[in-house]
């Protein structure tokens, strides 16, 4: 089959796109290497699973009427979110994961001749969404490896590249895969310098895991900066990655446009319900955040004791630098039943990203890594 004519009209941005590489599912490792009892610390999921209250609600709802379409307007979830954030429901856009929100912004504001700006080593979906729209990426070099916030976003560098033809700026705070973060004052000062026709997406997927002292009250910026879109997700601390729910907060005029490109039933009924109930389970959120804090500190100590460098992180994961090609280490961990995430596609080939697991999972990872490093 050599005739590729049927691809002739595919958009150039799509033809040259490198697909997103997700963390390997446990099943795949078992299939490929025959490893039993594997653990996955590769996708920044909540190791405690989901809120037991949300689980009970979903289980009961399965016996309900799934033959009906979901509420395409997400009325109840939006009502809860609007109370939580003190914004009108018209300010909220619901997404099939916050990935959807990033794509809606790209679809509404990006296209040929438009530019999107983001940091090097930032979340992989920004370049993908940009390129799929045949827009141009302005990649801002990250802070250098010897900076206090090594590999983090360089807002001064962003500022130097501000221009009227930049339609969208993506900022991940904290950033995945580096774990780096920005001071709220620095973000605020930057927002004040961005031209009003440039939409800024502040991607706060890891907000709950942040130190309360350094996490922004981004909601308060929505009134001052009408070009701001805050993206949040239920995939990380809320533990609903498999159900796919995220949302955007913005001025109603932006939300209205985002909602026009949203497919009408992008959130399924179970996902809407789970998210709604998860918002009320403060106890589960507290446990999740506390476990992450305690286990992250512990892993940082153990990794440093093994002589490897760990970037400071405010997420539920660590970027670990082995100062040499990390591929064999990744492979060694796979053979020992531990799935972590390579960072070569983020142009950080000496790093691996490790999600913080339960105490037992982290012990298994630490032991496997010690074993690999001495082999
Ligand atoms: C995980 C993640 C997301 C969103 O994931 P969804 O599951 O689509 O909500 C968004 N941004 C960053 C930086 C992430 O790490």
């Amino acid at each position: 089959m050599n005739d590729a004519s049927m691809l002739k009209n595919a958009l150039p941005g799509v033809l040259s796109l490198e697909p997103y590489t997700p963390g390997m599912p446990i099943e795949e490792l078992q299939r490929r290497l025959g490893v039993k009892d594997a653990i996955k610390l590769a996708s920044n999921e909540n190791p405690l699973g989901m809120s037991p209250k949300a689980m009970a609600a979903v289980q009961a709802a399965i016996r309900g009427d799934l033959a009906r379409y979901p509420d395409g307007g997400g009325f109840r979830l939006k009502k809860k979110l609007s109370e939580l954030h003190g914004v009108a429901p018209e300010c909220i856009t619901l997404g099939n994961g916050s990935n959807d929100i990033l794509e809606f912004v790209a679809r509404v504001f990006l296209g040929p001749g438009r530019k999107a700006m983001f940091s090097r080593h930032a979340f992989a979906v920004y370049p993908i969404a940009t390129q799929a729209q045949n827009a141009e990426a302005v990649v801002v070099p990250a802070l250098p490896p010897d900076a206090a916030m090594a590999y983090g976003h360089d807002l001064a560098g962003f500022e130097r590249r501000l221009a009227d033809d930049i339609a969208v700026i993506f900022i991940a705070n904290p950033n995945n895969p580096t774990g780096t973060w920005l001071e709220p004052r620095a973000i605020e000062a930057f927002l004040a310098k961005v031209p009003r026709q440039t939409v800024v997406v502040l991607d706060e997927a890891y907000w709950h895991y942040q130190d309360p002292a350094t996490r922004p009250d981004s909601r308060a910026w929505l009134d001052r900066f009408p070009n701001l879109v805050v993206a949040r997700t239920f995939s990380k601390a809320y533990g609903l990655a498999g159900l796919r729910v995220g949302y955007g907060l913005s001025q109603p005029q932006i939300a209205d446009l985002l909602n026009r490109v949203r497919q009408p039933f992008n959130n399924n009924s179970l996902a809407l319900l789970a998210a709604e109930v998860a918002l009320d389970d403060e106890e589960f959120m507290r446990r999740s955040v506390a476990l992450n804090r305690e286990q992250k500190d512990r892993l940082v100590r153990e990794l440093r004791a093994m002589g490897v460098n760990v970037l400071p992180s405010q997420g539920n994961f660590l970027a670990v630098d082995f100062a040499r090609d990390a591929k064999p280490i990744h492979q060694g961990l796979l053979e020992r039943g531990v799935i972590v995430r390579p960072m070569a596609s983020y142009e950080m080939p000496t790093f691996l990203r490790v999600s913080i697991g339960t105490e037992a999972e982290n012990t298994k990872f630490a032991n496997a890594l010690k074993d690999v490093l001495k082999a």
Side-chain angles (χ1 to χ4, degrees):
M1 226 285 299
N2 295 320
D3 182 5
S5 327
M6 69 288 188
L7 305 182
K8 236 179 74 187
N9 287 317
L11 298 174
V14 176
L15 281 173
S16 56
L17 201 58
E18 287 274 348
Y20 179 86
T21 32
M24 186 188 291
I26 289 179
E27 259 183 48
E28 187 179 329
L29 177 63
Q30 294 181 338
R31 231 175 11 244
R32 276 218 248 160
L33 297 181
V35 178
K36 289 224 170 57
D37 304 318
I39 58 165
K40 181 184 174 200
L41 301 174
S43 299
N44 301 345
E45 295 142 338
N46 188 329
L48 296 180
M50 67 194 270
S51 143
K53 288 180 185 150
M55 170 79 84
V58 166
Q59 276 170 337
I62 286 174
R63 292 187 288 273
D65 203 352
L66 290 179
R68 303 278 171 205
Y69 277 105
D71 171 12
F75 177 82
R76 287 152 61 115
L77 178 56
K78 278 191 184 172
K79 184 158 183 292
K80 276 250 158 85
L81 288 169
S82 100
E83 284 158 11
L84 174 69
H85 294 294
V87 299
E90 293 71 38
C91 297
I92 300 167
T93 308
L94 295 180
N96 194 268
S98 61
N99 197 95
D100 236 6
I101 305 301
L102 307 175
E103 296 222 358
F104 298 162
V105 170
R107 237 180 288 157
V108 171
F109 295 100
L110 294 177
R114 310 275 175 89
K115 291 178 183 162
M117 184 158 74
F118 45 83
S119 179
R120 194 177 176 209
H121 317 301
F123 188 44
V125 169
Y126 311 152
I128 292 175
T130 302
Q131 202 180 321
Q133 288 299 116
N134 292 279
E136 195 185 315
V138 177
V139 181
V140 181
L143 292 169
D146 60 353
M149 197 58 78
Y151 301 95
H153 287 34
D154 176 14
L155 285 186
F158 275 69
E159 199 184 318
R160 282 196 297 277
R161 288 167 182 80
L162 287 175
D164 288 344
D165 61 349
I166 291 175
V168 177
I169 297 174
F170 291 106
I171 294 176
N173 185 56
N175 182 43
N176 170 16
T178 57
T180 49
W181 66 95
L182 293 158
E183 292 299 326
R185 261 179 306 146
I187 301 173
E188 192 172 356
F190 176 71
L191 290 173
K193 287 173 191 136
V194 175
R196 284 296 159 93
Q197 76 270 20
T198 302
V199 169
V200 181
V201 178
L202 185 59
D203 182 349
E204 298 191 317
Y206 301 96
W207 186 86
H208 287 91
Y209 291 117
Q210 284 198 269
D211 179 348
T214 50
R215 77 183 168 197
D217 176 11
S218 38
R219 181 258 164 272
W221 292 333
L222 289 172
D223 301 323
R224 272 184 62 204
F225 306 111
N227 52 340
L228 177 65
V229 177
V230 175
R232 294 278 188 94
T233 181
F234 285 90
S235 297
K236 308 287 159 57
Y238 286 108
L240 301 182
L243 284 169
R244 317 299 304 128
V245 198
Y247 61 98
L249 301 175
S250 67
Q251 288 300 324
Q253 293 97 318
I254 292 185
D256 175 39
L257 295 184
L258 301 183
N259 274 295
R260 291 183 202 190
V261 298
R262 182 180 67 86
Q263 56 151 310
F265 304 105
N266 64 330
N267 292 114
N268 71 70
S269 317
L270 300 178
L272 287 169
L273 175 67
E276 200 186 309
V277 177
L279 283 175
D280 282 336
D281 197 342
E282 288 172 15
E283 150 67 16
F284 178 76
M285 178 58 76
R286 251 196 313 276
R287 266 201 299 137
S288 301
V289 168
L291 174 76
N292 186 67
R293 185 154 307 149
E294 168 202 305
Q295 288 298 313
K296 185 168 62 181
D297 289 349
R298 165 215 164 173
L299 270 188
V300 168
R301 271 196 311 274
E302 289 188 30
L303 287 163
R304 290 194 175 139
M306 289 180 221
V308 295
N309 184 32
V310 185
L311 298 187
S313 165
Q314 289 217 356
N316 62 344
F317 57 90
L318 294 170
V320 187
D321 187 6
F322 296 92
R324 59 184 160 106
D325 183 12
K327 219 183 282 153
I329 300 167
H330 178 246
Q331 184 60 30
L333 289 170
L334 286 179
E335 286 158 10
R336 287 162 184 80
V338 179
I339 308 172
V340 299
R341 181 76 155 74
M343 285 169 62
S345 64
Y346 286 96
E347 300 181 278
M348 297 172 77
T350 64
F351 282 79
L352 294 175
R353 192 194 68 195
V354 186
S355 307
I356 309 299
T358 60
E359 182 176 3
E361 287 171 334
N362 299 332
T363 301
K364 177 167 172 140
F365 159 70
N367 289 340
L369 182 61
K370 268 182 221 153
D371 203 38
V372 171
L373 291 179
K374 79 170 184 268

